[in-house]
Each structure stands twice: as structure tokens, then as C-alpha cells.
Amino acid sequence: MNKKFLDLGNQPLANNYLSKFKKKQIKYKLKLFFNTKSKMVSISKRIPSEMMFTNNYPYRSSMSKTMQNSFYELSLEIKKKFKPKKILEIGSNDGALIKNFNKSEAIGIEPCRNLAQITKKMGYVTYNNYWSHELAKKIRLKNEKIDLIYSANTLTHISDLNEVFKSISYLLSSNGILIIEDPSLLECIKKNSYDQFYNEHIYLFSAISVNSLLKKFNLEIFNIKNLETHGGSLRYYIKRVINKKITISRNIKIQIKKEMIFGLHKFSTFKKFSQKVEKSKVKLLSILNSLKNKKKLVLGYGATAKAVTILNYCNINNDLICNFVDTTPEKINRYMPGKNIKILKYNPKILDKYHYVFLGAWNFKKEILNKEKRFLKNGGKFITHVPVPKIF
Ligand code: TMP
């Protein structure tokens, strides 16, 4: 049974950065549910993929050094441990992972045309399609087998998880490996980072829910790693149950135990989380209002989809955060979805015009603080809402 635990109000499409601010934008209810049987956390409103993953999709994996390094490290590990002849990435974005492989070894799948064109130009076979059983059949006709399928921050965006895993299982060779990584529900709840929820993120996975889901497809997790990316993610290494050549790491039991101790299998945990989220909103608004009263100027750093959830849930307009900055060309000179806050092109000097910087991309805190040492040295301060709203 699906039980509601949090209402994040009406939210615009998170990656729909408009070139002109419109007061009336289409918004969708964002309510969060916990399934008492599968232990899966999901949002209720399903928006057609075509409306979200457009041909001018503004999210690029290569925009941060942190993500580039993470993909590079993973590519080394894949080559060393699994030695795949053919690897396929579902949601290849701008090629941040596949560019670390030879062109004959890697295939990308990317529904957003602007991104698919990037990897096509780089010379990689790229299917400008959504992941589906049809596509899996088409790829199988052209390739004998795929030894490794990888997908980061994509499968949780697809409504029909049964079709997703059925098609993966169909295409993967008998000893093939599936590696997926997505934000960790445990980290999200621990950090009170309710901004992990927006209309693209249909599910938020835990080891408990993935472990149970895979059983239907005769797949199982054989290793699991905690990553720092996206504010805390889990990387799941998956194989077929019949493949006994690979041993199952203790890490899985350890992670599941950690999640159980935290109560990720119980509805009451999520009810408590929702109370903390409401408190977080009050605290953040009190910080921003007090800065406004002191005539201090606040800049948002990183025009993230996560920040869109915060702005719209807390009703933050340009009187509280004057502008955002971002390095992504597709976001510059556009407006934060649902709000009248303009996104400016990042340059290191831009911070000098503001007294405070709100970390929209709090998940890149280390990278950003390292880059903005001068701002801090000159007396500038940062604001974050994770794990509790504060100035530092
Ligand atoms: P994400 O949190 O959804 O991965 O998005 C990160 C956004 O932050 C992306 O639009 C790029 C932007 N960004 C900057 O503008 N400057 C930076 O230094 C970093 C790390 C990210």
C-alpha cells in the first residue's frame, strides 16, 4: 500500500528554465509516498517523459570536476575488474562516462537530442531514444551481446521499473554485469535533503528496495558502494542469480542493516522526516528574511533542479535571493523555474557583488568552497539548508 508522507506543494518542471519569467507557469503537485510492501519511496504525479527530457535538456554531467572524476575512476575500475568488450550506458548524457572508453567499445542511449548529438559527434554509437524493450531488441540485433550495462541517475526517472529491468535482463549477456547508481534514500533522510525530490525523480532507491525489486528478474546485488556524488549515492553492482562465479560481498548485508537500523522499512521514519522538512523551511525563510531586512544581497550558486524544489516549496522569490549563477550554457540568462530569479553566467568576480551565497549545488560544497576561497577571505558567507539551514 502507498502511504503519503510529504507534500512539497505545486512545483514547475524542474529543468524548464524559461527565457522570460512568466507569472503563470504550469505546476504539478509533488507528493511523496512510501510503499509499505516494496519499501519503495516514490512521487505520485507521473509527467510524460517527453515533457521533461526535451531536445534542449540543460543538465550536463561534465559540468563539474567531481562528476568527471567519479566517472573516470569508475571507467578504470570497470576495465580492470570486468574487462567488458561492449558496454552500454542508459542515459549517457554528454558522454562523461563513455568518453573514457574506446569508440568501438561503448554505446550510448540518450533521449535528449542536444546531448545525444554531443556523443555522436565524438564518434560514439548513440541511440537518441528512451530505454525500452523495443530498443533493447534493436540493439541486440546489431550486437551479439552486451557484457556491461551502466546507468547513473536515470533508472529512477523511469516510471515502469518492470519494463526497465526486464529489458536490461533481456540484453545483458549471461555473465554480464549491471551497474547502477542513484541518490541514496538513507543519505537523503539523514541530511534532510528533501530537494532530492522533483518531478523527474520518480523513485528514490534504497538497498532494501532495490534488493527486493531485483528478485523478480533473477538478478541480485553482489556489491554496493557509498559515493559522495549527488549528496550521497549508492552504486549497486548487479549480476544474474545463476552466475555463481562472482561472490557476494558482505557490503550488501551491512548496508541493508544500516538502513533497517535507521528505519527505512517503516512508515513512521518518513513521517518524522516530513516534520523535519517543515522545520527546515521555517528556518531557511527566517535566515533569508533577516538578511533581507539588513539589506544584504544573496546569490544562489548552482541553478540546480534541487534548488527549484526549495524555491517553490519555501516560496522564495528575488527579494530573498537576487540571482543565481551557473556554468551551464543552457541555463544562463534564463529564470529559475516557477520563480522570478534570473540565472547569470558564472565568473569568479560575480560573487563580489553579493554578501551571501546560497548553495543551490550543496552537493558540490567541497569543490565550490575550494574555488571560492577569495570570497570567503573577503568576508563573504555561505548559506546552506543541509542538514539544517545555517550560515557558515
Ligand atoms: P546537480 O546538483 O543537479 O548535479 O547540478 C549542479 C549544477 O551546478 C549544474 O547546473 C552546474 C552547476 N555548477 C556550477 O555552476 N559551478 C560549479 O562549480 C559546480 C560544481 C556546479
Short mmCIF file of all heavy atoms in Angstrom, two decimals, residues 334-376:
data_model
loop_
_atom_site.label_atom_id
_atom_site.label_comp_id
_atom_site.label_asym_id
_atom_site.label_seq_id
_atom_site.Cartn_x
_atom_site.Cartn_y
_atom_site.Cartn_z
N ARG A 334 18.43 32.63 -18.18
CA ARG A 334 17.07 32.09 -18.03
C ARG A 334 16.64 32.27 -16.59
O ARG A 334 17.39 32.79 -15.77
CB ARG A 334 17.04 30.63 -18.46
CG ARG A 334 17.28 30.54 -19.95
CD ARG A 334 17.30 29.17 -20.49
NE ARG A 334 17.35 29.26 -21.94
CZ ARG A 334 16.32 29.05 -22.75
NH1 ARG A 334 15.15 28.67 -22.27
NH2 ARG A 334 16.44 29.16 -24.06
N TYR A 335 15.41 31.85 -16.29
CA TYR A 335 14.86 32.05 -14.95
C TYR A 335 14.70 30.71 -14.23
O TYR A 335 14.40 29.70 -14.86
CB TYR A 335 13.52 32.76 -15.04
CG TYR A 335 13.70 34.23 -15.34
CD1 TYR A 335 13.92 34.66 -16.65
CD2 TYR A 335 13.73 35.16 -14.32
CE1 TYR A 335 14.14 35.99 -16.94
CE2 TYR A 335 13.95 36.50 -14.59
CZ TYR A 335 14.16 36.91 -15.90
OH TYR A 335 14.40 38.22 -16.16
N MET A 336 14.87 30.75 -12.92
CA MET A 336 14.64 29.55 -12.12
C MET A 336 13.17 29.15 -12.30
O MET A 336 12.29 29.99 -12.11
CB MET A 336 14.92 29.81 -10.64
CG MET A 336 16.39 30.05 -10.31
SD MET A 336 17.47 28.66 -10.78
CE MET A 336 17.17 27.48 -9.47
N PRO A 337 12.90 27.91 -12.69
CA PRO A 337 11.51 27.51 -12.94
C PRO A 337 10.57 27.89 -11.79
O PRO A 337 10.86 27.67 -10.62
CB PRO A 337 11.62 25.99 -13.11
CG PRO A 337 13.00 25.80 -13.65
CD PRO A 337 13.85 26.84 -12.97
N GLY A 338 9.47 28.55 -12.17
CA GLY A 338 8.44 28.93 -11.20
C GLY A 338 8.75 30.23 -10.48
O GLY A 338 7.89 30.75 -9.76
N LYS A 339 9.93 30.78 -10.62
CA LYS A 339 10.33 31.95 -9.83
C LYS A 339 10.93 33.04 -10.71
O LYS A 339 11.44 32.76 -11.80
CB LYS A 339 11.35 31.53 -8.76
CG LYS A 339 10.76 30.62 -7.71
CD LYS A 339 9.77 31.39 -6.86
CE LYS A 339 8.79 30.51 -6.13
NZ LYS A 339 7.63 31.19 -5.64
N ASN A 340 10.90 34.29 -10.18
CA ASN A 340 11.40 35.43 -10.97
C ASN A 340 12.90 35.68 -10.72
O ASN A 340 13.35 36.81 -10.71
CB ASN A 340 10.59 36.68 -10.64
CG ASN A 340 10.63 36.98 -9.14
OD1 ASN A 340 11.26 36.25 -8.37
ND2 ASN A 340 9.98 38.05 -8.72
N ILE A 341 13.65 34.63 -10.50
CA ILE A 341 15.08 34.77 -10.19
C ILE A 341 15.91 34.42 -11.44
O ILE A 341 15.83 33.29 -11.94
CB ILE A 341 15.49 33.86 -9.01
CG1 ILE A 341 14.52 34.09 -7.82
CG2 ILE A 341 16.93 34.11 -8.62
CD1 ILE A 341 14.78 33.20 -6.62
N LYS A 342 16.66 35.42 -11.92
CA LYS A 342 17.42 35.22 -13.16
C LYS A 342 18.75 34.52 -12.90
O LYS A 342 19.41 34.77 -11.88
CB LYS A 342 17.67 36.59 -13.80
CG LYS A 342 18.14 36.48 -15.24
CD LYS A 342 18.13 37.82 -15.93
CE LYS A 342 18.54 37.63 -17.38
NZ LYS A 342 18.58 38.88 -18.09
N ILE A 343 19.14 33.67 -13.85
CA ILE A 343 20.41 32.94 -13.73
C ILE A 343 21.47 33.67 -14.56
O ILE A 343 21.27 33.92 -15.75
CB ILE A 343 20.26 31.48 -14.25
CG1 ILE A 343 19.11 30.78 -13.52
CG2 ILE A 343 21.57 30.71 -14.11
CD1 ILE A 343 18.60 29.53 -14.22
N LEU A 344 22.55 34.04 -13.90
CA LEU A 344 23.63 34.76 -14.58
C LEU A 344 24.78 33.81 -14.88
O LEU A 344 24.93 32.77 -14.23
CB LEU A 344 24.11 35.90 -13.69
CG LEU A 344 23.02 36.88 -13.19
CD1 LEU A 344 23.62 37.89 -12.24
CD2 LEU A 344 22.33 37.56 -14.36
N LYS A 345 25.58 34.24 -15.86
CA LYS A 345 26.75 33.43 -16.22
C LYS A 345 27.80 33.55 -15.12
O LYS A 345 28.10 34.66 -14.67
CB LYS A 345 27.31 33.96 -17.54
CG LYS A 345 28.44 33.16 -18.08
CD LYS A 345 28.87 33.70 -19.43
CE LYS A 345 30.09 32.90 -19.87
NZ LYS A 345 30.52 33.22 -21.17
N TYR A 346 28.33 32.42 -14.72
CA TYR A 346 29.32 32.43 -13.64
C TYR A 346 30.63 33.07 -14.09
O TYR A 346 31.12 32.80 -15.17
CB TYR A 346 29.61 30.99 -13.17
CG TYR A 346 30.77 30.94 -12.21
CD1 TYR A 346 30.61 31.28 -10.89
CD2 TYR A 346 32.05 30.61 -12.67
CE1 TYR A 346 31.69 31.29 -10.02
CE2 TYR A 346 33.13 30.61 -11.81
CZ TYR A 346 32.94 30.95 -10.49
OH TYR A 346 34.01 30.97 -9.63
N ASN A 347 31.15 33.95 -13.27
CA ASN A 347 32.57 34.31 -13.35
C ASN A 347 33.01 34.56 -11.92
O ASN A 347 32.21 34.98 -11.07
CB ASN A 347 32.81 35.50 -14.30
CG ASN A 347 32.41 36.81 -13.69
OD1 ASN A 347 33.04 37.30 -12.74
ND2 ASN A 347 31.34 37.39 -14.21
N PRO A 348 34.29 34.31 -11.60
CA PRO A 348 34.71 34.34 -10.20
C PRO A 348 34.44 35.69 -9.53
O PRO A 348 34.23 35.74 -8.31
CB PRO A 348 36.21 34.06 -10.28
CG PRO A 348 36.45 33.50 -11.62
CD PRO A 348 35.37 33.95 -12.53
N LYS A 349 34.42 36.78 -10.30
CA LYS A 349 34.25 38.12 -9.70
C LYS A 349 32.80 38.42 -9.34
O LYS A 349 32.53 39.33 -8.56
CB LYS A 349 34.78 39.16 -10.66
CG LYS A 349 36.30 39.16 -10.70
CD LYS A 349 36.82 40.47 -11.21
CE LYS A 349 38.34 40.46 -11.12
NZ LYS A 349 38.96 41.04 -12.29
N ILE A 350 31.89 37.66 -9.92
CA ILE A 350 30.46 37.97 -9.74
C ILE A 350 30.07 37.90 -8.26
O ILE A 350 29.20 38.63 -7.79
CB ILE A 350 29.58 37.07 -10.64
CG1 ILE A 350 28.25 37.76 -10.92
CG2 ILE A 350 29.36 35.70 -10.06
CD1 ILE A 350 27.49 37.18 -12.08
N LEU A 351 30.75 37.03 -7.52
CA LEU A 351 30.41 36.86 -6.10
C LEU A 351 30.67 38.13 -5.29
O LEU A 351 30.02 38.36 -4.26
CB LEU A 351 31.20 35.69 -5.49
CG LEU A 351 30.57 34.31 -5.62
CD1 LEU A 351 30.52 33.85 -7.06
CD2 LEU A 351 31.33 33.28 -4.79
N ASP A 352 31.59 38.97 -5.76
CA ASP A 352 31.95 40.19 -5.02
C ASP A 352 30.75 41.13 -4.85
O ASP A 352 30.76 41.96 -3.95
CB ASP A 352 33.08 40.94 -5.74
CG ASP A 352 34.33 40.09 -5.83
OD1 ASP A 352 34.39 39.06 -5.12
OD2 ASP A 352 35.22 40.42 -6.63
N LYS A 353 29.77 41.01 -5.73
CA LYS A 353 28.62 41.93 -5.68
C LYS A 353 27.59 41.52 -4.62
O LYS A 353 26.60 42.20 -4.43
CB LYS A 353 27.92 41.96 -7.05
CG LYS A 353 28.80 42.46 -8.15
CD LYS A 353 28.01 42.52 -9.44
CE LYS A 353 28.94 42.77 -10.62
NZ LYS A 353 28.48 42.15 -11.83
N TYR A 354 27.82 40.37 -4.00
CA TYR A 354 26.82 39.85 -3.04
C TYR A 354 27.48 39.63 -1.68
O TYR A 354 28.69 39.43 -1.59
CB TYR A 354 26.23 38.53 -3.56
CG TYR A 354 25.58 38.68 -4.92
CD1 TYR A 354 26.35 38.62 -6.09
CD2 TYR A 354 24.21 38.90 -5.05
CE1 TYR A 354 25.77 38.78 -7.34
CE2 TYR A 354 23.63 39.05 -6.29
CZ TYR A 354 24.41 38.99 -7.43
OH TYR A 354 23.83 39.14 -8.67
N HIS A 355 26.64 39.65 -0.63
CA HIS A 355 27.17 39.43 0.72
C HIS A 355 27.13 37.94 1.11
O HIS A 355 27.96 37.48 1.88
CB HIS A 355 26.36 40.22 1.75
CG HIS A 355 26.27 41.68 1.43
ND1 HIS A 355 25.14 42.26 0.87
CD2 HIS A 355 27.18 42.67 1.55
CE1 HIS A 355 25.35 43.55 0.70
NE2 HIS A 355 26.58 43.83 1.11
N TYR A 356 26.12 37.26 0.61
CA TYR A 356 25.90 35.86 0.99
C TYR A 356 25.67 35.02 -0.26
O TYR A 356 25.10 35.50 -1.23
CB TYR A 356 24.67 35.72 1.91
CG TYR A 356 24.90 36.32 3.28
CD1 TYR A 356 24.81 37.70 3.48
CD2 TYR A 356 25.24 35.51 4.36
CE1 TYR A 356 25.05 38.25 4.73
CE2 TYR A 356 25.47 36.05 5.61
CZ TYR A 356 25.38 37.42 5.79
OH TYR A 356 25.63 37.95 7.02
N VAL A 357 26.09 33.76 -0.18
CA VAL A 357 25.88 32.84 -1.31
C VAL A 357 25.11 31.62 -0.81
O VAL A 357 25.57 30.93 0.11
CB VAL A 357 27.23 32.43 -1.93
CG1 VAL A 357 27.05 31.24 -2.85
CG2 VAL A 357 27.83 33.59 -2.73
N PHE A 358 23.95 31.41 -1.40
CA PHE A 358 23.15 30.22 -1.04
C PHE A 358 23.59 29.07 -1.94
O PHE A 358 23.58 29.19 -3.17
CB PHE A 358 21.65 30.51 -1.22
CG PHE A 358 20.80 29.27 -1.09
CD1 PHE A 358 20.62 28.68 0.15
CD2 PHE A 358 20.22 28.68 -2.21
CE1 PHE A 358 19.86 27.52 0.28
CE2 PHE A 358 19.45 27.52 -2.08
CZ PHE A 358 19.27 26.95 -0.83
N LEU A 359 23.93 27.94 -1.31
CA LEU A 359 24.45 26.80 -2.08
C LEU A 359 23.31 25.99 -2.71
O LEU A 359 22.76 25.09 -2.08
CB LEU A 359 25.26 25.89 -1.17
CG LEU A 359 26.72 26.25 -0.90
CD1 LEU A 359 27.32 25.25 0.07
CD2 LEU A 359 27.52 26.25 -2.21
N GLY A 360 22.97 26.33 -3.96
CA GLY A 360 21.97 25.53 -4.68
C GLY A 360 22.56 24.16 -4.98
O GLY A 360 21.89 23.14 -4.93
N ALA A 361 23.88 24.16 -5.32
CA ALA A 361 24.57 22.89 -5.62
C ALA A 361 25.34 22.46 -4.37
O ALA A 361 26.56 22.29 -4.40
CB ALA A 361 25.50 23.09 -6.80
N TRP A 362 24.63 22.29 -3.24
CA TRP A 362 25.29 21.95 -1.97
C TRP A 362 26.05 20.64 -2.06
O TRP A 362 27.00 20.40 -1.32
CB TRP A 362 24.27 21.87 -0.83
CG TRP A 362 23.18 20.86 -1.07
CD1 TRP A 362 21.98 21.10 -1.66
CD2 TRP A 362 23.21 19.46 -0.77
NE1 TRP A 362 21.25 19.94 -1.75
CE2 TRP A 362 21.99 18.92 -1.21
CE3 TRP A 362 24.14 18.61 -0.18
CZ2 TRP A 362 21.68 17.56 -1.08
CZ3 TRP A 362 23.84 17.26 -0.04
CH2 TRP A 362 22.61 16.75 -0.48
N ASN A 363 25.64 19.79 -3.02
CA ASN A 363 26.31 18.50 -3.21
C ASN A 363 27.73 18.68 -3.76
O ASN A 363 28.51 17.74 -3.79
CB ASN A 363 25.49 17.58 -4.11
CG ASN A 363 24.89 18.29 -5.31
OD1 ASN A 363 24.35 19.39 -5.19
ND2 ASN A 363 24.99 17.69 -6.47
N PHE A 364 28.07 19.89 -4.24
CA PHE A 364 29.43 20.17 -4.70
C PHE A 364 30.12 21.14 -3.73
O PHE A 364 30.98 21.92 -4.15
CB PHE A 364 29.41 20.76 -6.11
CG PHE A 364 28.93 19.79 -7.15
CD1 PHE A 364 27.73 20.02 -7.81
CD2 PHE A 364 29.64 18.65 -7.45
CE1 PHE A 364 27.26 19.12 -8.76
CE2 PHE A 364 29.19 17.75 -8.40
CZ PHE A 364 27.99 17.98 -9.05
N LYS A 365 29.70 21.10 -2.47
CA LYS A 365 30.20 22.06 -1.48
C LYS A 365 31.74 22.13 -1.47
O LYS A 365 32.31 23.22 -1.57
CB LYS A 365 29.69 21.62 -0.09
CG LYS A 365 29.98 22.60 1.01
CD LYS A 365 29.25 22.14 2.27
CE LYS A 365 29.83 22.76 3.50
NZ LYS A 365 29.28 22.19 4.71
N LYS A 366 32.37 20.95 -1.43
CA LYS A 366 33.84 20.92 -1.36
C LYS A 366 34.44 21.64 -2.55
O LYS A 366 35.30 22.50 -2.41
CB LYS A 366 34.32 19.46 -1.37
CG LYS A 366 34.66 18.93 -0.01
CD LYS A 366 35.42 17.62 -0.15
CE LYS A 366 35.00 16.67 0.95
NZ LYS A 366 35.18 15.27 0.59
N GLU A 367 33.97 21.25 -3.75
CA GLU A 367 34.51 21.82 -5.00
C GLU A 367 34.29 23.35 -5.03
O GLU A 367 35.18 24.11 -5.40
CB GLU A 367 33.81 21.14 -6.19
CG GLU A 367 34.33 21.59 -7.53
CD GLU A 367 33.71 20.81 -8.71
OE1 GLU A 367 33.25 19.66 -8.54
OE2 GLU A 367 33.71 21.37 -9.83
N ILE A 368 33.10 23.78 -4.60
CA ILE A 368 32.76 25.20 -4.67
C ILE A 368 33.57 26.00 -3.64
O ILE A 368 34.15 27.04 -3.96
CB ILE A 368 31.23 25.40 -4.50
CG1 ILE A 368 30.51 24.79 -5.71
CG2 ILE A 368 30.89 26.88 -4.35
CD1 ILE A 368 28.99 24.71 -5.58
N LEU A 369 33.64 25.51 -2.40
CA LEU A 369 34.39 26.24 -1.37
C LEU A 369 35.86 26.37 -1.76
O LEU A 369 36.49 27.39 -1.53
CB LEU A 369 34.27 25.55 -0.01
CG LEU A 369 32.89 25.54 0.65
CD1 LEU A 369 32.99 25.13 2.11
CD2 LEU A 369 32.19 26.88 0.56
N ASN A 370 36.36 25.34 -2.38
CA ASN A 370 37.73 25.35 -2.84
C ASN A 370 37.94 26.44 -3.90
O ASN A 370 38.93 27.16 -3.89
CB ASN A 370 38.05 23.96 -3.41
CG ASN A 370 39.52 23.69 -3.41
OD1 ASN A 370 40.27 24.36 -2.70
ND2 ASN A 370 39.94 22.76 -4.23
N LYS A 371 36.94 26.57 -4.77
CA LYS A 371 37.02 27.53 -5.88
C LYS A 371 36.82 28.96 -5.38
O LYS A 371 37.32 29.90 -5.98
CB LYS A 371 35.89 27.17 -6.86
CG LYS A 371 36.23 27.42 -8.28
CD LYS A 371 35.43 26.57 -9.26
CE LYS A 371 34.05 27.01 -9.54
NZ LYS A 371 33.36 26.23 -10.55
N GLU A 372 36.04 29.12 -4.32
CA GLU A 372 35.64 30.47 -3.90
C GLU A 372 36.33 30.91 -2.60
O GLU A 372 35.73 31.58 -1.77
CB GLU A 372 34.10 30.54 -3.74
CG GLU A 372 33.32 30.05 -4.93
CD GLU A 372 33.67 30.78 -6.25
OE1 GLU A 372 34.31 31.84 -6.22
OE2 GLU A 372 33.29 30.25 -7.31
N LYS A 373 37.58 30.54 -2.46
CA LYS A 373 38.34 30.91 -1.25
C LYS A 373 38.42 32.42 -1.09
O LYS A 373 38.37 32.95 0.00
CB LYS A 373 39.75 30.33 -1.34
CG LYS A 373 39.80 28.85 -0.99
CD LYS A 373 41.25 28.40 -0.93
CE LYS A 373 41.33 26.89 -0.84
NZ LYS A 373 42.26 26.32 -1.78
N ARG A 374 38.56 33.13 -2.21
CA ARG A 374 38.73 34.59 -2.18
C ARG A 374 37.49 35.25 -1.57
O ARG A 374 37.58 36.16 -0.75
CB ARG A 374 38.95 35.10 -3.60
CG ARG A 374 39.64 36.46 -3.66
CD ARG A 374 39.99 36.78 -5.10
NE ARG A 374 38.79 36.83 -5.92
CZ ARG A 374 38.09 37.92 -6.14
NH1 ARG A 374 38.45 39.05 -5.62
NH2 ARG A 374 37.00 37.87 -6.89
N PHE A 375 36.30 34.77 -1.98
CA PHE A 375 35.03 35.31 -1.46
C PHE A 375 34.98 35.16 0.06
O PHE A 375 34.63 36.11 0.78
CB PHE A 375 33.86 34.57 -2.15
CG PHE A 375 32.51 34.87 -1.59
CD1 PHE A 375 31.91 36.11 -1.78
CD2 PHE A 375 31.79 33.91 -0.87
CE1 PHE A 375 30.65 36.39 -1.27
CE2 PHE A 375 30.54 34.17 -0.36
CZ PHE A 375 29.96 35.43 -0.56
N LEU A 376 35.39 33.99 0.53
CA LEU A 376 35.38 33.72 1.98
C LEU A 376 36.41 34.61 2.69
O LEU A 376 36.12 35.18 3.74
CB LEU A 376 35.72 32.25 2.23
CG LEU A 376 34.59 31.25 1.99
CD1 LEU A 376 35.12 29.82 1.97
CD2 LEU A 376 33.51 31.37 3.06
#
